[in-house]
Amino acid sequence: MGLARWKMGFAAVAAVAVLSTSVAAQDAGTRWRHGIALMGEPKLPADFPNFPYVNPQAPKAGTLNLSSDGTYDSFNPVLGLRGQPATGLPMVFDTLMKPSEDEVSTSYGLLAESVSYPEDVASATFRLRAEAKWSDGQPVTPEDVVFTFEKIKELNPVQAGYYNHVTAAEKTGDREVTFRFDEKNNRELPSIVGQLMIVPKHWWEGANAQGVKRDITKTTLEPVVGSGPYKLAAFQAGSTIRYELRDDYWGKALPVNVGINNFRTVNYTYFADRDVEFEAFRGGTVDFWQENQATRWATRYDFPAFKEGRVKREELPNPFRATGIMQALVPNMRRDMFKDERVREALNLAFDFEEINRTVMYGQYVRLNSFFFGTELASSGLPQGRELEILNEMKDKVPADVFTAPYENPVAGDAQKARDNLRKAVGLLKDAGWELKGNRLVNAKTGAPFSFEILLSSPQLERIVLPYTQTLKRIGIDARVRTVDPAQYTNRARSFDYDMTWSIWAQTLNPGNEQLFYWGSKSAAMEGSRNYAGIADPAIDSLINKIIFAKDRPELIATTHALDRVLLAHHYVVPLYYMMAMRIAYWDKFDRPANLPEYGIGFPDIWWSKTASK
């Protein structure tokens, strides 16, 4: 299930590079591959026994108690904009392919034993394993894969957009299903199709114990049938869930599963308040904690269990070695007041990161200056070489600044620098048609005040945003904070019902089709997309297209640099900060391999109960 899948929601695998040529089987001229790598070839051969970062002898025992924020109302994994799906559902459902945490954008066969595609990548065919079964004993079939794909396209607008270039799925053999693409040489498409979490057609088209026909278009709290290692054993609606390891799991001996899924029971408890959730961890009700608050990390680990060594904590860089981060306050350009680029730049000038980092965050963070921060994909300096050539091809469509001035965030931290930044902000706002009247900033033509709401999903974010609103008030802007519960926030974010909000994008080292749903013009009007800013720009669309069809790694890097530079130059966001290490704390109840995977911490997949290992 992986930490990124159950907690952080990191970005989907995306890439433009050379697909693997590893051959798992060979028949009738078709090349069947046991894995797909988007940067060269998979490191592991077709007969690999297990991932190199696992303990193949890890015991299957013990209970893991985890927590989650908010609530849930559905075990239906297909729906997109309806309902709140339960945390942990990926443990119940297998995907066609399984990613490796030791390689960048590389996956190996899970439900599918192999995959094949023609040289022009106009389609991809997956061959299902003969032994793959649902928890009710029925085989996993091509019909299940086709059913899943069609329902996702029908019911989940975000996934429908993500799979926009996958036009059809059809059964092409007793154990084979083929996906058709509407464009050629989009080398990412076989990989993203491999991410599909397959659901059972026969179960969803059947009836429950009361004889009521199931409906996949609706939420449900009926325990679902899956093909994965765990079953949904018990729950209290919206509050708790218990998953139990299946002894009859069909795939437990597969190389991709050896040494993985080591806890007999995994419990989730939901909390409406993050501080209450932390107190549950301190008290031993919750076993594992991923910290996201600098103050708490610096001051709240003073309880006896930590001092006595019964609670451990670490800062691990692994997940960020292949992850670019942009965390930001995002003005919604669907609102007229934010359409002017000068206004958005002024909003950034008013954010005093240095002071907030010093007074609120104990100096633990760095300011982000790229949408791909921390990776080789981040732009820097002035464009050169191939990146400059790409930008020159659209010179009249991108901001002139991309050629003359590297992007830099404003720097404050003392009274003089802060005043200078605010003077610049007022000048930009005046040029954009706003003027100060008394202590209020108003539209020079209409007299309407510059007033907006910042929508937040958690009270803990207020510590950062409230000082920002006070600074904005100094230049006449009335910025208010509204914090709502997670369910309400999700609904408002899906429908772009906010003036400004706080968001985070996590990028892989292989950006591709997902960029369309972050910044593409069509996604600006697509409910549920992650184009929170409302970006609709032809030059950005063109750069995204170039990324998707980049012919090699150097071309991908150059084009991504260009995209990053253009996004920054338009001041679509107020960049915030990040700490490029995962801060975790956990009760000393676990063992784990000495060497964690290169690009992840493997929790909880490859960890195991310490008591069971004695």
Side-chain angles (χ1 to χ4, degrees):
M1 99 184 129
L3 185 63
R5 293 179 66 182
W6 67 264
K7 192 71 174 176
M8 297 187 65
F10 276 175
V13 174
V16 180
V18 180
L19 286 168
S20 162
T21 58
S22 299
V23 179
Q26 194 100 15
D27 57 58
T30 300
R31 300 171 65 187
W32 291 98
R33 298 159 168 86
H34 74 288
I36 302 176
L38 296 164
M39 296 174 65
E41 300 182 3
K43 291 194 303 186
L44 303 178
D47 60 350
F48 74 97
N50 52 260
F51 285 131
Y53 50 80
V54 306
N55 172 13
Q57 284 76 47
K60 309 288 187 184
T63 296
L64 176 63
N65 296 310
L66 301 175
S67 59
S68 191
D69 304 329
T71 187
Y72 71 92
D73 62 9
S74 181
F75 298 134
N76 185 340
V78 170
L79 299 180
L81 303 182
R82 281 171 283 177
Q84 299 288 328
T87 303
L89 278 180
M91 294 189 295
V92 176
F93 298 96
D94 277 336
T95 50
L96 293 172
M97 310 288 285
K98 184 165 185 170
S100 166
E101 286 194 77
D102 227 19
E103 302 174 67
V104 175
S105 302
T106 300
S107 55
Y108 297 88
L110 181 51
L111 282 174
E113 65 183 14
S114 55
V115 58
S116 174
Y117 42 83
E119 186 175 350
D120 63 1
V121 200
S123 65
T125 299
F126 291 82
R127 176 181 287 169
L128 299 178
R129 296 185 189 272
E131 66 271 30
K133 289 182 172 58
W134 301 104
S135 57
D136 62 3
Q138 295 292 316
V140 179
T141 67
E143 287 84 356
D144 294 319
V145 180
V146 172
F147 174 79
T148 300
F149 174 75
E150 291 178 347
K151 291 304 178 183
I152 283 177
K153 291 271 282 191
E154 174 189 348
L155 303 173
N156 191 324
V158 176
Q159 291 297 305
Y162 189 51
Y163 294 113
N164 180 53
H165 293 296
V166 187
T167 57
E170 58 188 77
K171 179 179 179 179
T172 50
D174 289 342
R175 291 190 288 115
E176 293 177 12
V177 59
T178 297
F179 294 88
R180 308 292 182 188
F181 310 141
D182 67 358
E183 58 186 12
K184 297 180 179 180
N185 300 310
N186 186 336
R187 297 183 175 275
E188 181 191 12
L189 293 178
S191 181
I192 65 174
V193 168
Q195 301 165 17
L196 274 173
M197 193 164 61
I198 309 304
V199 300
K201 178 182 180 182
H202 72 277
W203 190 85
W204 283 102
E205 291 185 341
N208 63 20
Q210 290 73 43
V212 178
K213 185 173 174 56
R214 299 185 182 96
D215 187 349
I216 199 170
T217 69
K218 298 179 180 178
T219 62
T220 182
L221 286 175
E222 180 184 2
V224 288
V225 163
S227 63
Y230 286 84
K231 64 180 179 181
L232 206 162
F235 66 95
Q236 290 183 317
S239 178
T240 63
I241 315 170
R242 185 174 83 242
Y243 297 97
E244 292 182 355
L245 189 65
R246 291 174 48 204
D247 290 326
D248 62 347
Y249 173 44
W250 70 273
K252 59 186 174 183
L254 291 178
V256 294
N257 286 328
V258 171
I260 292 177
N261 306 315
N262 300 321
F263 293 97
R264 277 285 170 189
T265 303
V266 179
N267 296 318
Y268 283 94
T269 301
Y270 280 76
F271 294 86
D273 183 273
R274 183 73 169 163
D275 288 328
V276 175
E277 189 177 354
F278 180 68
E279 289 305 312
F281 168 71
R282 281 170 43 123
T285 303
V286 174
D287 294 332
F288 183 93
W289 182 259
Q290 183 185 329
E291 187 57 78
N292 62 355
Q293 189 180 106
T295 302
R296 189 162 45 224
W297 191 249
T299 66
R300 298 286 299 281
Y301 289 81
D302 57 355
F303 50 100
F306 177 71
K307 293 179 178 179
E308 296 164 5
R310 292 183 291 128
V311 168
K312 309 286 186 181
R313 68 174 187 171
E314 299 179 83
E315 296 180 4
L316 299 172
N318 306 48
F320 297 100
R321 289 172 179 158
T323 304
I325 294 292
M326 170 54 79
Q327 180 169 238
L329 291 171
V330 188
N332 186 355
M333 293 188 296
R334 300 169 186 86
R335 307 287 197 260
D336 287 340
M337 70 182 72
F338 299 128
K339 292 184 183 299
D340 194 301
E341 195 170 286
R342 294 166 293 187
V343 169
R344 303 194 299 271
E345 183 177 359
L347 293 174
N348 192 24
L349 283 161
F351 186 77
D352 190 343
F353 163 74
E354 289 73 21
E355 181 68 9
I356 292 173
N357 193 35
R358 181 181 68 82
T359 59
V360 179
M361 301 186 295
Y362 295 81
Q364 294 179 23
Y365 292 90
V366 293
R367 187 98 192 259
L368 303 178
N369 60 2
S370 168
F371 283 82
F372 302 85
F373 184 83
T375 72
E376 65 177 346
L377 300 172
S379 60
S380 63
L382 291 175
Q384 299 179 11
R386 178 57 183 150
E387 180 191 355
L388 181 58
E389 292 177 1
I390 292 168
L391 290 169
N392 276 327
E393 291 170 3
M394 52 184 68
K395 193 167 188 175
D396 59 336
K397 298 179 181 178
V398 300
D401 287 354
V402 303
F403 299 98
T404 60
Y407 177 83
E408 293 181 352
N409 282 309
V411 176
D414 62 50
Q416 184 59 51
K417 290 178 181 177
R419 283 194 296 269
D420 290 344
N421 287 341
L422 291 181
R423 275 196 291 270
K424 293 177 185 176
V426 170
L428 287 168
L429 290 164
K430 183 177 180 180
D431 292 342
W434 298 87
E435 61 182 9
L436 277 169
K437 286 193 175 180
N439 60 354
R440 300 177 70 206
L441 188 70
V442 299
N443 188 288
K445 292 182 179 179
T446 66
F450 199 117
S451 176
F452 66 91
E453 178 183 273
I454 304 175
L455 180 69
L456 301 177
S457 62
S458 171
Q460 70 180 13
L461 304 179
E462 295 175 3
R463 298 176 311 107
I464 308 301
V465 177
L466 287 174
Y468 179 50
T469 63
Q470 293 304 309
T471 302
L472 290 172
K473 279 183 170 58
R474 292 173 58 188
I475 56 175
I477 295 176
D478 176 29
R480 306 170 307 283
V481 173
R482 180 171 177 79
T483 303
V484 297
D485 63 76
Q488 185 178 351
Y489 179 83
T490 298
N491 289 331
R492 290 187 61 175
R494 285 171 175 170
S495 58
F496 311 120
D497 181 17
Y498 50 83
D499 299 329
M500 176 183 281
T501 192
W502 181 309
S503 189
I504 181 170
W505 293 269
Q507 301 275 6
T508 74
L509 289 180
N510 294 286
N513 288 270
E514 81 291 341
Q515 302 301 305
L516 293 167
F517 311 106
Y518 294 171
W519 340 109
S521 295
K522 290 182 179 179
S523 65
M526 181 187 297
E527 185 174 347
S529 82
R530 300 198 66 205
N531 190 343
Y532 300 121
I535 298 169
D537 182 275
I540 289 174
D541 292 340
S542 177
L543 286 168
I544 293 171
N545 194 59
K546 287 178 181 293
I547 286 173
I548 292 172
F549 290 99
K551 65 181 184 298
D552 53 33
R553 184 72 185 169
E555 182 76 2
L556 173 67
I557 293 173
T559 310
T560 306
H561 284 169
L563 172 64
D564 186 37
R565 199 179 297 276
V566 172
L567 289 170
L568 291 167
H570 279 300
H571 301 284
Y572 289 130
V573 302
V574 177
L576 293 173
Y577 51 84
Y578 219 74
M579 179 179 182
M580 300 303 285
M582 181 177 288
R583 294 175 296 197
I584 63 171
Y586 52 92
W587 284 81
D588 190 20
K589 300 167 56 175
F590 313 119
D591 273 336
R592 70 185 192 206
N595 296 315
L596 292 175
E598 183 71 12
Y599 303 113
I601 69 169
F603 182 87
D605 292 21
I606 67 174
W607 297 40
W608 64 90
S609 169
K610 179 179 286 188
T611 302
S613 63
K614 291 181 179 178

